[in-house]
Amino acid sequence: MRPIRPTIAARGGRSARRRTSPALAAVGLAAALALTATACGPTEDNAGGEPSASASQATDDKIVIPDDLKDRLKEHGVDLDKWKGGAWKDWSRDDWLREAEDYINPIIEDLWDADRMREAEEPDRPVAPDISGDEGVTDPTPAPVEAVPVKTPYTASTPESGKLFFDGPEGSMVCSATVIKDPAHPGKSNMVWTAGHCVHAGKKGGWYRNIAFVPSYNNTGKSAAELDAAPKNENEITPHGVWWGDWAQTSSQWIAQGGPTGGEGAPYDFAVLHVTPEKGSGKSLEETVGSALPVEFNAPAAPEIASMTATGYPAAPPFDGQKQLQCADKPGRLSITAGDPTMYRIGCTMTGGSSGGGWTATGQDGKPALVSNTSIGPVTAGWLAGPRLGAEAKTIYDSVSGKFANQ
């Protein structure tokens, strides 16, 4: 079993290969023209901890990084001047920020241009065992459900969904993500839901870098070939702009247990991002896209749910990572480790790159709500599994909302 990973692609002529590790964490990013940085925040033992500092806005509209934040970054060998000049590409294990409070993600303006986004698509073959024969509370393996293209333009059909870009040691990678509501800012949310492995590499790694969210990426659903042949149209590729993660939190279980095979940490494979626009208009993400999904914690058990819909940008063959697709199916149960929560599982042919994409079901109010996210699937595709969101997920959600409640 593997996580449904982001794809990676090398620049400078190297062939693109898909990352097979299960955790793709988006984190520490570099700053260039518009430099911002997150505050030092809660530890993995204190998910609701208070931030110690945050970037502030100077009167001349330039971002000011607090001195205490600069000092903390230097403790980890991070010099912001060098970082924005390309030092973020150094993936020395000793300098790879790992702990929950170490997340940094300064903006590098124009880093994620249309070409670089397309280069982050082509996946390598996933290598991992299929555990679909597990017993216990695991239901029979579901029949594959063919993923179908989402109606274009995405801004009208699925405005909350988008694509996540970030850098890891092997190159540029992708996941999927969803705009969610923020209880501290009704109607003006800047929060995004994704998988834990799309922001943090788990037990043998740390935070990933240069994470950015693009809602309704490739709005008209053009293929990679069509995008290569057509003149660059930023309004089509990034209709609502590029939004950088200025804070991220994932579960302490994912940080401690997450691994590349066998579904390690998968029942806790979720994360929440707070984002800020690369080129701000003064509006929140929710106002900009026109929608955000509520998150339903402790949704009904799988047998009580008639249907779940998973949305994402699958990039492994036969898909090219450029189009948004969906699968709808009645969920079953998948138990990976005794003592861990049972996961939801649906039939679906989506592949790598769909990780982190939101799963929706009818909420308590009768309207769509986010109830899970894509985490893992078998080597052969055919089905996806996602965590059932409970107390741990709600703690992270509340913590991110609370961190920015007064901003």
Side-chain angles (χ1 to χ4, degrees), residues 225-300:
E226 289 173 325
L227 291 173
D228 285 338
K232 294 181 177 62
N233 183 344
E234 297 297 336
N235 290 331
E236 195 172 84
I237 301 300
T238 59
H240 293 309
V242 178
W243 296 72
W244 287 66
D246 56 4
W247 187 250
Q249 284 185 227
T250 186
S251 67
S252 59
Q253 292 92 337
W254 176 259
I255 291 175
Q257 305 169 14
T261 59
E264 294 175 304
Y268 301 96
D269 186 14
F270 41 74
V272 177
L273 293 166
H274 187 276
V275 299
T276 190
E278 179 175 298
K279 299 174 182 178
S281 65
K283 291 184 178 181
S284 68
L285 176 60
E286 182 177 1
E287 291 173 299
T288 301
V289 306
S291 185
L293 286 176
V295 182
E296 194 138 306
F297 301 97
N298 292 319

Side-chain angles (χ1 to χ4, degrees), residues 26-27 39-44 46-51 99-101 103 192-196 199-200 207 211 246-252 254-255 268-274 392-404:
V27 156
C40 300
T43 67
E44 57 185 290
N46 177 21
E50 292 299 319
E99 305 305 319
E101 71 270 23
Y103 176 89
V192 174
W193 193 280
T194 190
V199 296
H200 194 286
W207 295 107
I211 182 172
D246 56 4
W247 187 250
Q249 284 185 227
T250 186
S251 67
S252 59
W254 176 259
I255 291 175
Y268 301 96
D269 186 14
F270 41 74
V272 177
L273 293 166
H274 187 276
E392 295 83 0
K394 189 173 189 309
T395 295
I396 292 170
Y397 173 79
D398 289 341
S399 179
V400 176
S401 175
K403 179 180 175 72
F404 295 89

Side-chain angles (χ1 to χ4, degrees), residues 117-118 154 163 165 214-219 237 313 322:
M117 289 180 188
R118 283 203 303 278
Y154 303 145
K163 195 166 182 178
F165 298 87
V214 178
S216 297
Y217 170 78
N218 189 21
N219 193 33
I237 301 300
Y313 283 85
Q322 304 305 319

Side-chain angles (χ1 to χ4, degrees), residues 325-377:
L325 289 96
Q326 291 182 328
C327 293
D329 193 19
K330 179 174 176 56
R333 297 165 292 182
L334 176 64
S335 178
I336 296 176
T337 303
D340 280 346
T342 297
M343 301 177 72
Y344 294 119
R345 182 164 64 162
I346 62 172
C348 186
T349 60
M350 285 199 290
T351 58
S354 62
S355 268
W359 291 25
T360 58
T362 302
Q364 295 180 1
D365 62 358
K367 299 178 180 179
L370 187 141
V371 295
S372 186
N373 57 263
T374 297
S375 173
I376 55 175

Side-chain angles (χ1 to χ4, degrees), residues 50-231:
E50 292 299 319
S52 62
S54 61
S56 59
Q57 194 83 16
T59 56
D60 59 359
D61 288 334
K62 293 182 178 179
I63 298 296
V64 176
I65 307 300
D67 289 339
D68 59 338
L69 178 55
K70 290 181 181 178
D71 291 341
R72 176 155 181 79
L73 297 180
K74 287 181 178 180
E75 290 177 9
H76 293 280
V78 178
D79 183 301
L80 286 177
D81 291 332
K82 294 180 179 179
W83 187 270
K84 67 182 181 181
W88 63 266
K89 297 176 184 178
D90 179 7
W91 292 93
S92 166
R93 186 174 183 83
D94 292 339
D95 295 333
W96 195 351
L97 304 181
R98 169 175 174 77
E99 305 305 319
E101 71 270 23
D102 290 342
Y103 176 89
I104 60 168
N105 195 41
I107 293 173
I108 303 179
E109 191 169 328
D110 297 324
L111 174 69
W112 291 110
D113 59 19
D115 288 337
R116 196 166 191 264
M117 289 180 188
R118 283 203 303 278
E119 287 178 356
E121 310 312 352
E122 296 180 17
D124 192 4
R125 289 187 308 146
V127 180
D130 185 342
I131 65 167
S132 58
D134 277 12
E135 300 298 329
V137 294
T138 295
D139 291 322
T141 302
V145 171
E146 290 295 324
V148 296
V150 172
K151 183 179 180 181
T152 59
Y154 303 145
T155 50
S157 57
T158 52
E160 308 92 352
S161 298
K163 195 166 182 178
L164 203 64
F165 298 87
F166 51 99
D167 285 307
E170 297 180 31
S172 300
M173 296 181 277
V174 293
C175 272
S176 302
T178 308
V179 184
I180 56 171
K181 291 188 176 296
D182 179 358
H185 296 285
K188 297 182 178 182
S189 174
N190 284 308
M191 290 170 58
V192 174
W193 193 280
T194 190
H197 77 256
C198 298
V199 296
H200 194 286
K203 62 183 178 182
K204 292 185 178 180
W207 295 107
Y208 283 79
R209 300 169 184 173
N210 301 331
I211 182 172
F213 174 66
V214 178
S216 297
Y217 170 78
N218 189 21
N219 193 33
T220 58
K222 289 184 177 178
S223 68
E226 289 173 325
L227 291 173
D228 285 338

